[in-house]
Amino acid sequence: MSKEDKHIDNLFQEKLSDRSFDGPPADFLADLNERLDAKPVVSKGRKWILFLNLFFIGLFVADATIDFSTTRTAEVEQLTSKEKSFKNENAQKENASIKSDDAEPTNSTERFSNTSVTPDESGTNKAKSNTSESNEIEENQANKQTKESNDQADAGVNDMFNYKTQNKNQGESSKNNFSGSKEASNSSTDSKKDDSTKKNNTSINKGDEVAAKDKTAEKEAENTSSDKNNPPKSYSESLSSYVSYSAIYAPQFEKVDRKIKTNDFPEFPKPWNELVADDNNDKSKNPPKQDENTRMFELQLHGGATQWNYKTLGTNDNYVYKIDAAGTPKWTPNFGLGFNVNFNNISIGAGLNYAKFETENLFEFSEVNSYDSTYVAGYDENVTYDTLGNPIDTTYTPYYDSTTVTDTTYSTTSITNQYEWIQIPIHFGYRFNLNKWAIIPRVGMNIGLGIRQSSGQYPNETYDQLQTFSPVKWHLNLHTSLEIRREFGNWHAFGKFNYQRNFTPTIDNALFERKFNGVGFSFGVGYSF
Amino acid sequence: MNTAVRYKSNKEDQMAIVNTAFMKIIDSIEQFKVGSNYFSWAKRIVSNTVIDDFRKNKKYKDLFNADIDETADPFTGDFTPEAYKEMEVEEVQQILDQLPPATKITFNLFAIDGYSYKEIAEELNIGYETVKWHVKEARKRLKIILSDNSELLRH
C-alpha cells in the first residue's frame, strides 16, 4: 500500500469514524415511550378470525363426539324402554290369561302344554288359529326378507327400529303360538262373552283326552294361580328377549322363525342386555355400516380453467411498472387427479395437477440513436474597402458548429409468455352432507414444480432488447377451494371453485420476482371406495 | 447513526438503517458480553445491517461487476493529505457520497470500519479481487475529487 493510499484511508477514517450526532428531542422520546406502553388493540378482523377459528373447532369437536356408538347407545335405551313396556304389556296379558285360567282351567292347560301339543291335537279351531298365525309369521317373514333385500345397503339404526316395529305383531303372534296366552286370553274373553258356547267348543273340539289333560292341568293351574299376579319371569324375559333379539339380529330371524313354526321355543344364549353390552364392547363383530356418502377413499379426475393474475416486485420501480402494464393474463387450462381420505367428514387429500400461466405482452422498446448535427453557428462578416477606405462590398461567410443529437425511436413487440407447472396439492377440508349432495370447503398448499422449458421473455433493464427468464424450480402455493358434489352410488360428479396464491415467487431473477394468484373452476368425476 | 450516515446519503435510508439496527440490538442484547466494548458491538451490528440492506438489492452483484474496468488509467496527480486536514466533516462525507454505491460500501468497510478484504468478500459474497479493485478504485476517485476540490479552493 502506497503512502498516498494510507493517507486517503486515514483522512476518511479520522474525519468520519468518530462523528457524533444529537439524539432525538425529549418530546419525541416521550411520545415513543407512550406508544410503547400503549395496550395493543385487537383489530376487528382479528376478532372475526378468532371467532371463526373457535366456531370451526367447535364444529369439528361436535362432529367427532357424535359418532355411531352414541347413536347406538340411544337406540339401546329406546329398545330397553320398549322391552320394558313390552314386558309390562305381556305381564298384563299373562295376568289376564291367568285370571281366565282360574275361571276356565282347561285354557291353562293350553297355556302350559301348548308348546308340546301338535296342531292336530289342539282341535279344528286351534289348528286353524295356528295355521293362520303361521301364515302371518310367514307373511311377516316374507315381508321382512323383502325389506331386508331392499334395504340391505341402508340398513341402520332406524331400519332396525322399523324392523322391530314390524315384527312386534309377529312377536305377539309368536307369543301366542308359543304360550297360547293370547289364545287363552281370547278364549277367556270369548268365554266371558259366551260362556256356554265356549264350553261347547271346548267339549267338542278337545274331546275326552283333552278333558283328562285338563284335569291334570287344573292342579298346575292351582299352583300357577298362586303366582297369577307374577307371570313366569324367565318366560316373559325370554319372550321379550326374543322379540328384541329378532329385531336387532335380523339375519338370524329366519333360523329363529323356523323354530317358531315347529313350536320350539328358541333358546338364546344370553339375555338382551348382555347381548347389547357384548355387542357394544365388540364392535368389530358388527361394525357400524358406513354411510355411502362417507366412504373412506376417493379418486378424482378433474379439469377446468384458471384466470391468473400477478404481482411483480423489483428494485427498479419504473421497470416493474412497465412490464406489469405490458402484460394481459389469459384463461388457461388446468387438469389433474386427486386422492382423498375421508374420516368423520374430514377430508384429507393430495394429488397431481397441471397448471399453466399465460400472458400476452406488448412491450414497447425505445432505441436511442446519437449523431452529430452540424449547424450554422454564425457568420463572419468580410467588408471590402476601396482605395479611399469606403466599404464597397460586404460578404458573410457562415461558420459551423456541431452538436450531438439524441433521437429516440420506439418499436412495439408482441410476446406471449407461458409458464407451466406440475403441482402437488396437499389439502384438508370438511364435508357438509345434504342427502346426495355434499359441500366441501378445503384449504391447503400446492408444491409447484416449474417446467423449465416453459420460459418467458421480458425486456432487459435498459428496455432495449428481450431477455429470457425461466420459472423457479420449486415454489409453494396456498390454495382454498369449494367443492360441490352429487353422489351416484360409488361415483360422484363435482364442480370446484378454487383460489390459489403464490407463497414463494414463481419467477425470481436479478431484475424482478413475480408472484401469481389465480381464480379458477374445474369439473370432474370421482369414485369412492 | 454515524455508521448509517456514512453508508447512506438519503436521510430516510439512514433512519431505516438506524431503526433496524436498534431492533437488532434490542433483540440480541442478551448476546452482548458484559465487559466488552458496547460501542464496537453496536457498530458492528449497524455495519451488518447496512450489508444486509445492500444485499437486499437483487442485482447488487451487478453493481460490483459493472464498474470494473481494468484498463482504466491510474491516478497520476499529486496528493498532499495535509491540504485536507482542515476540511469539514460534512465536506468529507459529501466527497464519499460521490462514489458509486458498490465502491462506497467497500471503501467504507475497508478503510473506516476496518474489515479485511477477505471479510468484505465473504460478507458481500463477491470475489477477493473485486474487493481489492473497488478499494483501489475508491482511492483513485477520492483523490481525483479531492484534487478537484483543492483546485477550486485555490482559485
Side-chain angles (χ1 to χ4, degrees):
Chain A
M1 186 189 291
S2 70
K3 267 189 178 179
E4 283 188 355
D5 291 345
K6 231 176 195 175
H7 289 316
I8 285 270
D9 293 357
N10 288 340
L11 172 71
F12 280 89
Q13 197 176 15
E14 281 169 19
K15 293 281 180 187
L16 300 176
S17 62
D18 294 324
R19 224 173 139 189
S20 61
F21 291 87
D22 294 333
D27 57 339
F28 173 81
L29 288 175
D31 181 56
L32 186 66
N33 279 331
E34 267 181 29
R35 287 180 187 213
L36 288 171
D37 292 340
K39 198 179 173 183
V41 181
V42 181
S43 66
K44 264 190 176 178
R46 281 192 178 186
K47 279 180 184 171
W48 269 108
I49 289 167
L50 190 67
F51 171 74
L52 285 174
N53 280 342
L54 289 172
F55 175 75
F56 278 110
I57 288 168
L59 203 68
F60 289 154
V61 170
D63 182 75
T65 50
I66 303 169
D67 59 5
F68 185 81
S69 62
T70 48
T71 320
R72 183 81 180 194
T73 312
E75 180 211 1
V76 167
E77 283 172 5
Q78 285 189 10
L79 282 174
T80 314
S81 65
K82 284 200 173 193
E83 183 194 9
K84 282 177 184 172
S85 65
F86 194 84
K87 273 183 187 176
N88 292 335
E89 190 186 340
N90 188 36
Q92 283 172 3
K93 284 177 182 174
E94 292 286 336
N95 287 339
S97 68
I98 288 164
K99 276 178 186 175
S100 68
D101 286 347
D102 288 342
E104 294 289 333
T106 51
N107 289 331
S108 67
T109 311
E110 285 176 12
R111 198 180 107 215
F112 292 102
S113 60
N114 201 18
T115 50
S116 59
V117 173
T118 58
D120 291 335
E121 288 172 339
S122 48
T124 313
N125 288 343
K126 198 163 182 68
K128 196 177 178 181
S129 169
N130 280 341
T131 310
S132 65
E133 283 164 7
S134 297
N135 288 337
E136 192 181 339
I137 291 167
E138 281 171 6
E139 277 173 17
N140 284 337
Q141 188 186 358
N143 289 337
K144 177 205 75 182
Q145 284 170 347
T146 313
K147 186 166 176 57
E148 268 182 11
S149 59
N150 287 340
D151 298 346
Q152 209 163 15
D154 292 321
V157 174
N158 292 331
D159 294 325
M160 290 179 186
F161 273 114
N162 292 336
Y163 193 54
K164 179 179 161 55
T165 314
Q166 206 177 31
N167 284 312
K168 195 173 176 181
N169 293 329
Q170 188 179 7
E172 285 173 0
S173 59
S174 307
K175 181 189 71 180
N176 291 340
N177 207 6
F178 291 133
S179 64
S181 65
K182 193 171 181 181
E183 279 180 11
S185 173
N186 290 336
S187 301
S188 63
T189 313
D190 288 340
S191 66
K192 281 174 186 173
K193 284 179 182 176
D194 189 359
D195 199 21
S196 61
T197 313
K198 173 72 186 168
K199 280 179 181 174
N200 287 336
N201 283 338
T202 309
S203 62
I204 291 165
N205 291 332
K206 294 185 179 174
D208 294 338
E209 286 179 8
V210 177
K213 281 183 180 178
D214 286 345
K215 282 179 183 177
T216 53
E218 272 181 18
K219 290 175 183 177
E220 291 173 7
E222 280 173 8
N223 294 332
T224 314
S225 62
S226 61
D227 298 324
K228 58 186 174 184
N229 290 328
N230 299 313
K233 205 173 181 182
S234 61
Y235 177 77
S236 61
E237 269 185 8
S238 301
L239 185 62
S240 55
S241 298
Y242 161 68
V243 173
S244 304
Y245 185 85
S246 61
I248 300 300
Y249 296 88
Q252 297 182 21
F253 188 84
E254 191 178 350
K255 205 192 296 177
V256 172
D257 197 43
R258 205 174 293 127
K259 289 183 181 177
I260 294 167
K261 282 182 196 171
T262 54
N263 284 340
D264 287 327
F265 187 81
E267 286 182 10
F268 298 102
K270 290 177 181 177
W272 159 244
N273 289 336
E274 284 179 34
L275 281 169
V276 171
D278 286 351
D279 186 51
N280 280 338
N281 291 337
D282 191 5
K283 284 185 178 179
S284 60
K285 285 180 183 173
N286 295 295
K289 190 163 186 181
Q290 204 174 13
D291 187 1
E292 66 176 8
N293 286 336
T294 54
R295 284 189 181 90
M296 196 77 175
F297 304 108
E298 292 170 3
L299 266 176
Q300 293 181 325
L301 280 172
H302 61 86
T306 307
Q307 169 76 65
W308 292 94
N309 212 326
Y310 50 78
K311 187 181 178 186
T312 314
L313 296 171
T315 49
N316 187 338
D317 291 341
N318 186 40
Y319 175 80
V320 168
Y321 173 77
K322 276 161 83 173
I323 63 165
D324 269 357
T328 311
K330 294 166 81 173
W331 282 92
T332 52
N334 69 64
F335 55 85
L337 56 93
F339 176 74
N340 299 323
V341 180
N342 295 316
F343 182 74
N344 272 351
N345 285 340
I346 294 170
S347 166
I348 300 168
L352 208 60
N353 291 343
Y354 164 84
K356 184 182 179 183
F357 165 76
E358 192 172 330
T359 47
E360 188 72 45
N361 296 280
L362 211 62
F363 296 120
E364 193 178 59
F365 290 104
S366 58
E367 191 182 348
V368 180
N369 297 311
S370 301
Y371 54 91
D372 288 338
S373 171
T374 309
Y375 64 96
V376 178
Y379 292 92
D380 288 331
E381 190 180 312
N382 291 320
V383 184
T384 311
Y385 299 94
D386 60 9
T387 52
L388 295 173
N390 297 319
I392 53 170
D393 192 17
T394 306
T395 56
Y396 295 95
T397 311
Y399 62 88
Y400 298 94
D401 198 0
S402 66
T403 184
T404 305
V405 177
T406 54
D407 190 16
T408 309
T409 54
Y410 294 96
S411 61
T412 306
T413 308
S414 177
I415 299 284
T416 303
N417 286 332
Q418 291 183 352
Y419 288 95
E420 294 166 279
W421 308 283
I422 299 294
Q423 295 181 325
I424 304 163
I426 299 165
H427 49 73
F428 71 93
Y430 189 81
R431 177 181 173 132
F432 297 95
N433 292 314
L434 195 70
N435 296 328
K436 294 286 181 185
W437 293 84
I439 298 173
I440 309 168
R442 289 192 174 99
V443 291
M445 62 180 184
N446 287 333
I447 300 164
L449 170 63
I451 300 171
R452 306 283 285 183
Q453 285 77 10
S454 63
S455 53
Q457 287 187 310
Y458 293 91
N460 60 0
E461 192 174 14
T462 49
Y463 234 84
D464 51 11
Q465 61 181 3
L466 287 171
Q467 196 176 342
T468 303
F469 295 104
S470 297
V472 295
K473 199 169 184 182
W474 294 100
H475 71 269
L476 201 64
N477 273 358
L478 301 178
H479 79 94
T480 178
S481 67
L482 183 70
E483 180 182 316
I484 300 169
R485 71 162 64 168
R486 170 77 164 86
E487 302 278 352
F488 300 99
N490 280 358
W491 292 89
H492 62 265
F494 65 90
K496 195 159 62 173
F497 300 98
N498 62 69
Y499 171 78
Q500 53 181 303
R501 184 185 187 85
N502 271 168
F503 186 66
T504 57
T506 310
I507 307 170
D508 193 5
N509 53 62
L511 272 179
F512 67 95
E513 64 175 42
R514 189 167 263 189
K515 287 182 177 177
F516 294 110
N517 57 75
V519 180
F521 64 87
S522 55
F523 298 101
V525 290
Y527 182 78
S528 307
F529 53 97
Chain B
M1 184 70 189
N2 177 27
T3 311
V5 169
R6 263 193 292 117
Y7 285 94
K8 295 281 176 183
S9 47
N10 185 314
K11 189 150 190 178
E12 280 77 28
D13 292 343
Q14 291 166 4
M15 292 313 295
I17 292 290
V18 170
N19 284 339
T20 314
F22 257 118
M23 291 306 294
K24 282 184 182 176
I25 288 168
I26 291 164
D27 279 347
S28 53
I29 195 73
E30 289 168 3
Q31 295 170 19
F32 174 69
K33 290 174 189 169
V34 180
S36 58
N37 189 336
Y38 169 76
F39 286 104
S40 300
W41 179 71
K43 209 170 169 183
R44 188 83 180 186
I45 287 179
V46 180
S47 301
N48 286 339
T49 309
V50 172
I51 291 167
D52 290 344
D53 183 69
F54 194 75
R55 291 182 62 168
K56 270 185 196 168
N57 185 346
K58 291 263 173 195
K59 47 172 187 174
Y60 82 94
K61 280 188 185 176
D62 297 343
L63 294 174
F64 283 100
N65 298 325
D67 296 339
I68 293 180
D69 181 8
E70 295 292 347
T71 59
D73 294 332
F75 174 72
T76 51
D78 293 331
F79 179 75
T80 49
E82 289 74 22
Y84 309 104
K85 289 282 182 192
E86 302 305 318
M87 274 178 79
E88 290 295 323
V89 175
E90 283 77 16
E91 280 180 280
V92 177
Q93 181 64 52
Q94 276 174 13
I95 289 166
L96 191 66
D97 286 344
Q98 290 178 44
L99 292 178
T103 311
K104 183 180 169 184
I105 193 171
T106 315
F107 182 75
N108 251 320
L109 289 169
F110 179 80
I112 303 171
D113 287 331
Y115 281 69
S116 67
Y117 288 136
K118 198 180 169 189
E119 281 175 323
I120 298 169
E122 282 168 4
E123 291 284 356
L124 293 171
N125 198 18
I126 54 174
Y128 184 84
E129 288 301 321
T130 311
V131 177
K132 275 181 83 174
W133 185 89
H134 276 283
V135 173
K136 202 173 158 187
E137 177 71 8
R139 286 177 184 144
K140 187 183 85 182
R141 285 182 184 242
L142 290 170
K143 279 179 204 170
I144 293 169
I145 297 165
L146 286 168
S147 303
D148 291 347
N149 278 7
S150 64
E151 276 177 26
L152 282 172
L153 286 170
R154 268 179 235 155
H155 291 294

